[in-house]
Amino acid sequence: MTDQSQQPADQTFPPPEEFKRNANVTADEYDKAAADPLAFWAEKSRELLDWETDFSETLDWSDPPFAKWFVGGRLNVAYNCLDRHVEAGNGDRVAIHFEGEPGDSRTYTYAELTAEVCKAANMLTSLGVKSGDRVAIYMPMVPEATIAMLACARLGAAHSVVFGGFSSDALHSRIMDAEAEVVITADGGHRRGKPSSLKPAVDEALAKGDTPVKHVVVVERAGNDIEMTDGRDQYWRELMDQQSDAHTPEFFDSEHPLYILYTSGTTGKPKGILHTSGGYLTQVLYSMYASFDIKPEQDVFWCTADVGWVTGHSYVAYGPLAAGATQVIYEGTPDSPHRGRWWEIVEKYKVSIFYAAPTAIRACMKWGREHAQKFDLSSLRLLGSVGEPINPEAWLWYHEVIGGGRCPIVDTWWQTETGAHMIVPLPGAVDLKPGSAQRPLPGISAQVVDDAGHPCETDAAGFLTITEPWPAMLRGIYKDPERFKETYWSQVEGQYFAGDGARFDADGDIWFLGRIDDVMNVSGHRLSTAEIESALVSHPDVAESAVVGAADETSGQAVIAFVVLRGKATEDDDTAAALQNHVRREIGPIAKPKQVFIVEELPKTRSGKIMRRLLKDVAENRGIGNTTTLADASVMDVIASRVAEG
Ligand code: 6R9
């Protein structure tokens, strides 16, 4: 485990008095929630959501770790994100300001967005989609991605969004696992000044044969030339134009599946994380109020995450809309066409709450403050961070240069599995500490334990666990209950094991220390070493490979691969590049190793386990650590000299 928080915070940053006075949630909420967490969540859920049928029991935990929240309650998630705001007289409020990378823009009010989602629900119905089905969504960051997700939610069909940067192979395996019969995609999107393509990857995925997919719906965005397969592929616009914008929502059980989202685990096979309706939406919306202090009638919220990741699910598609707030959706990258693009957008839409990943903040830091200083950022009042620990230096830069010294920063720790914020300093209640995510959200209880599952002393590094079930928790791994139990619930009796190292400081604040398993965090995205290793060995020249995440100044971690070639394969100048491109094709650009080292042999224990820890030491330019358990200690010297050359 790497300690990315070496620097103990000696400085705290109290939010401005005025901020605290007006905050949605103040310090007494912690005590109230702790006194009776179930009563707290029941009250929040009734207050925040519109239930068609009230629930009769808050939590059924009779068959752990399979939780049922708000038992007997019925609701429609899309109704809660759309219609109810229109019915309350807020139909004219802007729901989405969309900014395309080339500079085009579009605005949807709540009334307009509701109409679009109704049409899309009718369109999906016309394609045979019904409650309980699965729909794959493979899209750029355009409003249609959110519209498609909400249309699925409205029908009770679970969506499986596959990040547009993933390859056709990744798309194929996710379509197969979820048994999706419909794919919603686009001809492409705009990224870094050029049209990117998506539809060809869908064609490739479906050409692998035997998929359950009957229909492909294509949004025209990039204007690329694409092939359309007769009888299977249809254009979104043509289908939408035939639909009525009226649709009566059906109400579903609180535990009705809402979505499946695949995330990296410690094995090569991604896990289909399953989220359901009532509990998920309760905690996501509560966090909008508590962590982000959202005031829907005045704030402009912008979460920069792609909808392909959980952050885009909870804080683009569901959270801001359930709150009835105005949000910005931006298609492109922060440096296109110039390095001040994000800040130009903040100025243009008067963004007041801004949520991004530390890796992006570090990139902005590297580019220099002058790019941000060209724009008026005075509309900002709160900043958020997510995806990995934010190092104090980046925190301070974000606070000063972007936040003008006046905006609290909420460092939100959570996971695909947790569905919503879990550990976060509430801006109305807590003095902020750069680099620490600080406190469990009211109603959540966390602990740091040692190898034996006993609580750690102050300042001692251990493993983070969540000690009680929570509303937005994953309900399982799709079709794999055993893996669910084994991955998260087998380490510490009755507790959820997050896979993150952490420690409590003397003030009771939590510091995260990075993943403790073979999951890497590259630019705030989760990748598994095993997944990349299996991509590498699928190359005909590769016999064996080991992948590690090495500390990297900008991306947090970088993918470094060590590869043993097959006997007949010979290394030349192009081998490493060919393997990098192979991973890029197999998984996607984010998984492409930054460096590939061709080695004779990998360091292994006598029982044959690859010692990635030693490779990580070398990749991070530390001396070679303890090699006593290696079968052949000389292997490491050879590898170290190879890395030094490379
Ligand atoms: C939301 C999201 C989850 C993993 C998690 C942890 C790391 C996320 C963090 C953080 C320290 C934070 N992580 N937020 N570490 N401080 N504020 O990122 O979900 O993609 O599933 O990743 O990311 O290691 O276990 P996901």
Side-chain angles (χ1 to χ4, degrees), residues 265-423:
T266 50
T267 72
K269 189 174 178 279
K271 302 175 281 198
I273 303 299
L274 176 69
H275 282 291
T276 62
S277 306
Y280 173 78
L281 202 62
T282 297
Q283 193 178 329
V284 167
L285 184 49
Y286 175 64
S287 64
M288 288 296 302
Y289 283 102
S291 315
F292 292 134
D293 191 48
I294 194 123
K295 314 270 200 278
E297 51 304 325
Q298 62 198 53
D299 277 314
V300 177
F301 180 85
W302 182 16
C303 164
T304 60
D306 190 284
V307 286
W309 308 105
V310 75
T311 307
H313 280 62
S314 299
Y315 300 103
V316 176
Y318 292 108
L321 296 176
T326 298
Q327 74 171 313
V328 171
I329 292 181
Y330 169 56
E331 180 184 30
T333 48
D335 52 350
S336 245
H338 58 81
R339 290 175 164 180
R341 187 66 193 277
W342 271 4
W343 319 119
E344 182 180 47
I345 295 171
V346 167
E347 176 183 283
K348 176 170 176 186
Y349 295 106
K350 300 196 167 31
V351 172
S352 56
I353 303 176
F354 178 80
Y355 190 35
T359 178
I361 303 305
R362 287 193 297 266
C364 293
M365 240 171 110
K366 213 152 83 181
W367 299 336
R369 59 175 67 201
E370 60 277 14
H371 299 286
Q373 282 170 340
K374 279 191 207 130
F375 300 98
D376 177 6
L377 305 181
S378 63
S379 56
L380 289 169
R381 68 178 192 92
L382 183 133
L383 304 172
S385 171
V386 60
E388 55 178 312
I390 179 162
N391 48 310
E393 201 192 355
W395 196 104
L396 293 169
W397 189 90
Y398 196 24
H399 188 252
E400 184 199 326
V401 179
I402 305 304
R406 71 184 178 277
C407 305
I409 298 179
V410 292
D411 178 1
T412 63
W413 179 93
W414 59 295
Q415 307 176 298
T416 306
E417 292 86 342
T418 71
H421 297 166
M422 297 295 279
I423 314 285

Side-chain angles (χ1 to χ4, degrees), residues 150-367:
L150 289 165
C152 291
R154 197 170 182 94
L155 295 175
H159 51 73
S160 162
V161 181
V162 181
F163 174 54
F166 280 143
S167 67
S168 60
D169 272 341
L171 176 63
H172 177 256
S173 66
R174 285 156 174 77
I175 287 173
M176 296 307 281
D177 190 72
E179 298 162 289
E181 293 188 2
V182 172
V183 180
I184 303 178
T185 186
D187 54 356
H190 298 274
R191 260 192 108 65
R192 297 227 154 78
K194 9 180 236 263
S196 67
S197 85
L198 279 175
K199 176 66 167 49
V202 176
D203 295 338
E204 254 176 71
L206 301 187
K208 295 181 197 291
D210 260 2
T211 74
V213 174
K214 297 194 188 106
H215 300 284
V216 176
V217 182
V218 185
V219 172
E220 287 161 284
R221 168 68 193 152
N224 296 336
D225 273 340
I226 53 169
E227 279 173 30
M228 295 290 278
T229 301
D230 269 354
R232 187 193 73 186
D233 303 351
Q234 297 178 79
Y235 285 109
W236 166 279
R237 192 40 53 207
E238 283 171 19
L239 289 171
M240 287 284 275
D241 283 348
Q242 301 163 19
Q243 310 301 325
S244 146
D245 60 8
H247 180 270
T248 310
E250 206 184 314
F251 296 94
F252 301 103
D253 190 271
S254 175
E255 283 300 338
H256 192 81
L258 181 62
Y259 65 81
I260 302 164
L261 180 58
Y262 289 83
T263 189
S264 300
T266 50
T267 72
K269 189 174 178 279
K271 302 175 281 198
I273 303 299
L274 176 69
H275 282 291
T276 62
S277 306
Y280 173 78
L281 202 62
T282 297
Q283 193 178 329
V284 167
L285 184 49
Y286 175 64
S287 64
M288 288 296 302
Y289 283 102
S291 315
F292 292 134
D293 191 48
I294 194 123
K295 314 270 200 278
E297 51 304 325
Q298 62 198 53
D299 277 314
V300 177
F301 180 85
W302 182 16
C303 164
T304 60
D306 190 284
V307 286
W309 308 105
V310 75
T311 307
H313 280 62
S314 299
Y315 300 103
V316 176
Y318 292 108
L321 296 176
T326 298
Q327 74 171 313
V328 171
I329 292 181
Y330 169 56
E331 180 184 30
T333 48
D335 52 350
S336 245
H338 58 81
R339 290 175 164 180
R341 187 66 193 277
W342 271 4
W343 319 119
E344 182 180 47
I345 295 171
V346 167
E347 176 183 283
K348 176 170 176 186
Y349 295 106
K350 300 196 167 31
V351 172
S352 56
I353 303 176
F354 178 80
Y355 190 35
T359 178
I361 303 305
R362 287 193 297 266
C364 293
M365 240 171 110
K366 213 152 83 181
W367 299 336

Side-chain angles (χ1 to χ4, degrees), residues 518 533 544-548 562 602-605 607-615 630:
D518 292 332
E533 285 165 6
E544 221 182 352
S545 79
V547 165
V548 298
F562 296 85
L602 295 172
K604 288 191 186 153
T605 60
S607 61
K609 282 199 182 20
I610 297 174
M611 294 198 61
R612 291 187 185 75
R613 144 95 24 227
L614 295 177
L615 293 171
L630 278 182

